[in-house]
Amino acid sequence: MAAAISAGILRRGHRILLLCHTRRTFASQTDGEARVVQVLKEKFPRASAIKVVDISGGCGAMYEIHIESEEFKEKRTVQQHQMVNQALSEEIKAMHGLRIFTSIPKH
């Protein structure tokens, strides 16, 4: 893995802040990103594009997901996002946040 990761927790009042410091190249993919991509490929086999980025600096606390799939056809955006949340139900338990962007392939 081409990333060096260190994480810590800072408690301020009733807030807990997750501090994450990482060094990684843009060409590398974190283990967490790879795991999320694999789950999405299994759950959305007709997906034409899947992109997962760890936006927490590499410590796995928050991800941004872009997924384009025929499975979203004739579904409202909220339903599409619910499908992604359902697919990642186990992985989400360890996350602080998730940004989801879904789309249907244009033919």
Side-chain angles (χ1 to χ4, degrees), residues 71-98:
E71 284 118 327
F72 299 139
K73 202 171 198 169
E74 298 183 15
K75 302 222 182 314
R76 296 186 321 258
T77 301
V78 69
Q79 292 170 314
Q80 296 171 11
H81 290 201
Q82 287 170 340
M83 291 169 68
V84 174
N85 277 307
Q86 177 72 27
L88 296 172
S89 61
E90 286 302 310
E91 290 72 19
I92 285 174
K93 292 176 184 177
M95 294 179 194
H96 173 72
L98 185 63

Side-chain angles (χ1 to χ4, degrees), residues 38-79:
Q38 184 59 39
V39 170
L40 291 172
K41 283 181 178 180
E42 290 171 8
K43 302 289 183 170
F44 298 97
R46 294 170 41 203
S48 54
I50 296 174
K51 180 181 174 189
V52 176
V53 179
D54 184 338
I55 57 175
S56 63
C59 64
M62 189 162 183
Y63 292 92
E64 182 171 295
I65 295 171
H66 295 260
I67 182 167
E68 181 180 88
S69 179
E70 287 289 335
E71 284 118 327
F72 299 139
K73 202 171 198 169
E74 298 183 15
K75 302 222 182 314
R76 296 186 321 258
T77 301
V78 69
Q79 292 170 314

